[in-house]
Amino acid sequence: MSTTPAKVAVLASGRGSNLAALLEARTRGELPVEFVLVGSDKAGAGALRLAEAANIPTLALDPRSHADRRAFDQELLRRVAASGADWLVLAGFMRVLDGAALKPWIGRIINIHPSLLPKYRGLHTHRRALEAGDAEHGASVHFVTAELDGGPVIAQAYLPIEAGDDEDRLAQRLLPLEHRLLPAVLGLLASGRLQWDGRAARFDGRPLAAPLRLGDDGLRP
Ligand code: GRF
């Protein structure tokens, strides 16, 4: 296996707490990757400030300065490719990427989504889980395809819903689990234990029959 650390680019639209978790995991020596770019569709994104503070190259690209969605996505992913990234992580990137632009990245791009997919694709996941009366909620990391939050799920973190939960409290309680889930999945991908076989995920050489599950000691089948 190559000793060169995997190169990772991250796209984020917001505060960047998941990016912060990735950077902290790397600082602790738990995630041997090199962050080569943090990009955003929002110049004011907190994630860009975090990246600057960590001396990671940043890119802010304004969708309004492009002819259409596809032109923006193609330019964005062209710039990501130019960074030399092997992997692309969507960490709170609030746009659906165009299928044609995504093509070269299929199998090398993951997203974190705050629900137990396939439940609650899209927005307002915490509210929807509460309204449905679910006993548990969670977060998923999945391979990205052109379908919104629809690619094969790699791993999930589960959280029991409590009587006192409202939308904000549930989101707050889920976030620390997201912050463990995303670095754990990226670590497995970067080490080669987790792979994409063209259709689905393989773990330690075997097709992943069900998503890995985050426990106290990390990800387990
Ligand atoms: C997270 O809840 C993530 O699951 C979702 O968007 C949120 C991003 O939060 N996709 P942050 O910017 O990482 O703090």
Side-chain angles (χ1 to χ4, degrees):
M1 196 179 294
S2 157
T3 51
T4 319
K7 293 184 166 67
V8 177
V10 179
L11 296 178
S13 301
R15 66 193 158 181
S17 71
N18 278 286
L19 170 66
L22 292 173
L23 299 179
E24 284 158 19
R26 185 182 183 283
T27 302
R28 287 195 303 270
E30 296 167 6
L31 186 59
V33 303
E34 182 190 352
F35 291 99
V36 291
L37 183 73
V38 172
S40 186
D41 56 325
K42 303 252 187 293
L48 293 175
R49 307 291 89 77
L50 286 171
E52 285 161 7
N55 289 316
I56 298 165
T58 59
L59 166 69
L61 210 56
D62 186 350
R64 291 167 302 189
S65 62
H66 293 75
D68 54 25
R69 190 167 77 87
R70 174 168 289 186
F72 173 80
D73 291 351
Q74 277 175 338
E75 173 65 4
L76 179 63
L77 292 178
R78 190 189 67 71
R79 302 276 287 268
V80 171
S83 75
D86 305 303
W87 297 98
L88 177 53
V89 177
L90 306 185
F93 185 64
M94 303 305 284
R95 295 176 61 89
V96 180
L97 289 164
D98 173 78
L102 265 179
K103 225 172 193 166
W105 288 96
I106 295 292
R108 299 190 295 135
I109 174 170
I110 59 172
N111 177 49
I112 182 154
H113 182 74
S115 81
L116 293 173
L117 289 171
K119 279 188 163 182
Y120 315 131
R121 296 175 182 182
L123 297 174
H124 310 303
T125 57
H126 315 298
R127 186 194 309 167
R128 288 156 69 197
L130 288 167
E131 282 172 359
D134 290 354
E136 57 187 5
H137 187 43
S140 306
V141 174
H142 64 94
F143 283 115
V144 173
T145 62
E147 196 183 343
L148 174 67
D149 302 323
V153 179
I154 301 169
Q156 295 182 313
Y158 283 71
L159 179 70
I161 292 183
E162 295 177 350
D165 279 331
D166 58 18
E167 197 176 342
D168 288 346
R169 183 174 189 264
L170 188 54
Q172 283 307 316
R173 292 202 305 115
L174 183 60
L175 212 48
L177 293 180
E178 294 188 37
H179 295 165
R180 290 176 48 220
L181 183 66
L182 187 57
V185 172
L186 183 59
L188 288 181
L189 287 168
S191 73
R193 288 188 68 194
L194 196 59
Q195 289 171 328
W196 164 269
D197 72 4
R199 278 183 313 124
R202 294 179 85 84
F203 181 58
D204 286 342
R206 297 208 189 106
L208 203 56
L212 299 171
R213 191 170 169 143
L214 186 71
D216 290 341
D217 56 351
L219 289 173
R220 292 280 171 269

